[in-house]
Amino acid sequence: MSALTRLTLSQRFFFDAAHTLRRDIETEGSRRIHGHTYHAEVSVSGPPDAATGMVIDLGLLRERLQGVRQQLDHRLLDEVPGLGIPTLENLCLFIARALCDMRPAPTQVRVWREALGDACVLAMEDAR
């Protein structure tokens, strides 16, 4: 395999959570506590390890994602430390920050609400 070979692996998880939002449109419903099922996908890219053939052990990635999921699942997102305003954008950033010490580091985080068709993608610079 070429030394330039880069592969991307991804893993998904979901969480159910409630939140409020102060906004100028859909005001009444947004300000009331309401909930969604959120889906998230984290991708990592890099060359496969010569000994294992893996970019990252998926068991390790799943373990780290479970830790993030536990911080968000069945929570009032307004109260999650470090999240800020509970938007899709801030959820992407929160997940990325929680995993920034992984090697390889995440290259993309996507968060979406399937039922509403909303999504946000955070694409990080690919450090080669």
Side-chain angles (χ1 to χ4, degrees):
M1 214 173 282
S2 165
L4 300 177
T5 300
R6 295 183 64 76
L7 300 170
T8 299
L9 288 175
S10 63
Q11 181 67 49
R12 293 180 181 180
F13 67 99
F14 75 94
F15 57 97
D16 295 306
H19 72 115
T20 64
L21 279 179
R22 295 205 172 273
R23 39 195 286 223
D24 294 331
I25 192 167
E26 300 173 352
T27 306
E28 186 179 331
S30 294
R31 290 186 181 184
R32 284 194 309 265
I33 294 175
H34 61 282
H36 305 282
T37 297
Y38 294 87
H39 299 268
E41 180 176 48
V42 174
S43 299
V44 297
S45 297
D49 180 86
T52 66
M54 293 186 271
V55 173
I56 189 171
D57 187 315
L58 283 173
L60 173 64
L61 182 55
R62 280 191 289 273
E63 184 177 86
R64 292 295 303 270
L65 294 182
Q66 181 60 23
V68 174
R69 183 177 187 271
Q70 288 176 351
Q71 294 178 65
L72 300 170
D73 191 41
H74 286 85
R75 307 279 180 184
L76 178 60
L77 296 179
D78 304 55
E79 299 174 352
V80 172
L83 176 60
I85 299 168
T87 61
L88 292 174
E89 297 89 340
N90 282 337
L91 284 165
C92 281
L93 292 166
F94 179 85
I95 293 167
R97 282 192 302 267
L99 303 173
C100 69
D101 64 330
M102 273 185 9
R103 294 296 171 254
T107 53
Q108 181 172 292
V109 175
R110 179 174 177 242
V111 176
W112 70 98
R113 298 180 297 195
E114 190 73 33
L116 297 175
D118 302 332
C120 181
V121 177
L122 171 63
M124 282 76 84
E125 286 288 325
D126 194 5
R128 293 182 188 230

